[in-house]
Amino acid sequence: GSECMAILSIIKDLADLTRRVLGAGEVMGRWGGEEFLLLLPGQPLDLAMARVEALRAAALDIKLPESGVAAGLRVSLSAGMATSYEGATSLDEIIARADVALYEAKRDGRNLVRIADESLQAATTAIRRALRSRRML
């Protein structure tokens, strides 16, 4: 229905915005539901943070229909960032740390960017248990 159309419109607008902001070799893909995974290979943390902040700020300008399910709402972007510091053993570990940072951004009020702790010690029990079950820890 109209809710599905509004979500698809937001995803399309976010994809268009991302294409304008990202550089060569940088990609973003849908990770599930309303979550996306952004890969910025070789970017130092300060430049990656600037890129994600630019996306976050630009997402606020995405226009929603003024009637129907989206009336009175606006698009915002919460992000968790993690680096592939020396010692990070897998992409799954990096994603798990970014996921923890994302939940911190949501907990702290949404429409924020948070950077992950450089260790899995900060990860939630559920994330650590899931990684252990895949024999990654």
Side-chain angles (χ1 to χ4, degrees), residues 3 19 23 36 42 48-49 63 69 88 99:
E3 183 176 337
R19 274 193 289 276
F36 295 83
M49 181 73 168
K63 301 293 182 221
V69 295
D99 196 52

Side-chain angles (χ1 to χ4, degrees), residues 39-60:
L39 301 175
L40 304 170
Q43 282 286 353
L45 184 59
D46 57 343
L47 294 180
M49 181 73 168
R51 184 91 76 216
V52 174
E53 277 292 345
L55 278 171
R56 187 199 58 72
L60 293 171

Side-chain angles (χ1 to χ4, degrees), residues 2-3 8 31 33 53 56 71 78 114 116 118 121 129:
S2 62
E3 183 176 337
L8 288 175
W31 188 246
E53 277 292 345
R56 187 199 58 72
S78 298
R114 292 290 181 254
E118 290 294 283
Q121 300 309 308
R129 189 179 316 117

Side-chain angles (χ1 to χ4, degrees), residues 15-74:
D16 292 343
L17 170 69
T18 302
R19 274 193 289 276
R20 290 194 305 270
V21 171
L22 295 185
E26 300 172 344
V27 294
M28 184 166 93
R30 194 163 177 198
W31 188 246
E34 300 171 354
E35 293 186 355
F36 295 83
L37 184 63
L38 179 62
L39 301 175
L40 304 170
Q43 282 286 353
L45 184 59
D46 57 343
L47 294 180
M49 181 73 168
R51 184 91 76 216
V52 174
E53 277 292 345
L55 278 171
R56 187 199 58 72
L60 293 171
D61 292 332
I62 293 175
K63 301 293 182 221
L64 294 174
E66 296 190 17
S67 62
V69 295
L73 299 178
R74 68 176 195 163

Side-chain angles (χ1 to χ4, degrees), residues 6 11 17 31 48 50 57 62 66 75 79-81 95 110 128 133:
I11 290 171
L17 170 69
W31 188 246
I62 293 175
E66 296 190 17
V75 175
M81 297 179 62
I95 291 171
R110 300 182 179 267
R128 289 196 307 261
S133 73

